[in-house]
Amino acid sequence: MADKDSRAGSRYADEAILAYVHRVHAAHDPGLDAAFTSPDRDQMPAIQVGPSEGRLLELVLRLVGARRVVEVGTLAGYSAIRMARALPEEGRLWTIEVSPAHAEVARRNIAAAGLDARVEVLVGEASAVLPTLEQHGPFDAVFIDADKESYDSYGRWAARHLRQGGLLLGDNAYLFGRLVDDTPTAAAMRRFHEEAARAFDSVCIPTPDGLLLGIKK
Ligand code: SAH
Ligand code: DHB
Ligand code: MG
C-alpha cells in the first residue's frame, strides 16, 4: 500500500498480473490441480480459496511450525492439501465438512495427492464435530471457511483450543462486501473480527475476500 488510491482499496492486480504471480509463486502440481478443478467437474460450487491464498495458508503454517491443524469447511480438499503439505510427516489436519458428497470428493482428492495419512475428513456440522476434536488439542492453527453466520462461534472455539502463538485464519472476512450491513450474518462476522482482535494479535489481510489472521495472545 503506497498511495491514496491503493490505501482506499483500489487494486493494481488484474487478470494478467494475477495469472503471472500465481504461476511464479503458487503453481499447481498435479495433486493440487486435480483438487482445484474438482468443484467444476464434480458438481460442487467453485468457492475454494485462490491459488495465492492457498499458498499463503501453507507458508504461514510453515512459519509457526504447525503440527496440529483444524479446518472448518473442506469442499473438495484444495486448501486442505495446501495446509497438509506444510505439516511434518507426523503432523495432522482435521477438516470438517457438512456435506457427505463434498467429503467423499475431498477424500478422493486428498488421497490422490498422497496426503490421506495426514488428513482426516470429518463429516458433520462443525458445531457438533469441533467438541470431538478437543482431545487432540491444543492446536497450532485453525482455518475457518464454512457457514459465515457461525464464524463468531468457531472463532471462540479457536481461541479456547489454540496454543499461545497459534494461528487463527478466517476466509471471506469482508463477507462478500456485506461486512458492515445491518444483518445477522454481518453482525456475526463483525463479532468474529472484534473478539479476534481481543484474544489475538490480529489483522485482516486485504486479499480479495479478506483473510483474518490472528496470533493467540
Ligand atoms: N476451504 C475450502 C473451501 C470451503 S467452501 C477450500 O478453500 O478448498 C465451504 C464448505 O463449508 C462447503 O463445502 C460447505 O458444504 C461447508 N459447510 C457449510 N456449512 C458447514 C457447517 N456448518 N459445518 C461444516 N461444513 C460446512
Ligand atoms: C462462498 C463461501 C466461501 O467460503 C467462499 O470463499 C466464497 C463463496 C459461498 O458460500 O458462496
Ligand atoms: Mg471461503
Side-chain angles (χ1 to χ4, degrees), residues 47-49 145-146 148 151 171-172 176 209:
I47 54 175
Q48 63 276 40
V49 295
D145 194 17
K148 311 309 168 198
Y151 269 43
D171 190 33
N172 311 109
F176 315 107
D209 286 281

Side-chain angles (χ1 to χ4, degrees), residues 58-215:
E58 178 184 348
L59 296 189
V60 295
L61 293 199
R62 272 170 51 191
L63 278 174
V64 297
R67 308 162 78 87
R68 286 172 296 188
V69 177
V70 174
E71 175 177 62
V72 184
T74 314
L75 192 68
Y78 176 69
S79 54
I81 290 171
R82 272 293 190 202
M83 293 192 288
R85 289 206 172 145
L87 306 179
E89 192 75 39
E90 71 283 6
R92 202 153 189 79
L93 168 68
W94 293 269
T95 181
I96 307 171
E97 174 54 58
V98 74
S99 155
H102 293 184
E104 188 187 323
V105 170
R107 284 196 185 107
R108 199 169 68 221
N109 289 329
I110 290 162
L115 290 162
D116 42 328
R118 239 178 271 172
V119 181
E120 201 168 322
V121 181
L122 300 152
V123 182
E125 284 283 346
S127 58
V129 177
L130 284 170
T132 72
L133 295 182
E134 290 167 11
Q135 54 177 316
H136 302 293
F139 299 98
D140 302 301
V142 173
F143 174 47
I144 301 170
D145 194 17
D147 49 321
K148 311 309 168 198
E149 64 276 14
S150 306
Y151 269 43
D152 57 337
S153 117
Y154 302 151
R156 285 191 288 272
W157 186 90
R160 283 198 304 278
H161 298 287
L162 281 165
R163 66 163 165 88
Q164 189 179 4
L167 298 184
L168 174 66
L169 296 150
D171 190 33
N172 311 109
Y174 295 154
L175 195 60
F176 315 107
R178 301 192 291 267
L179 179 60
V180 297
D181 286 8
D182 185 16
T183 65
T185 303
M189 187 61 90
R190 290 195 300 274
R191 281 195 296 279
F192 173 66
H193 280 267
E194 291 160 30
E195 290 169 8
R198 286 196 286 274
F200 297 79
D201 289 317
S202 60
V203 67
C204 188
I205 303 174
T207 63
D209 286 281
L211 180 69
L212 189 135
L213 169 68
I215 301 176

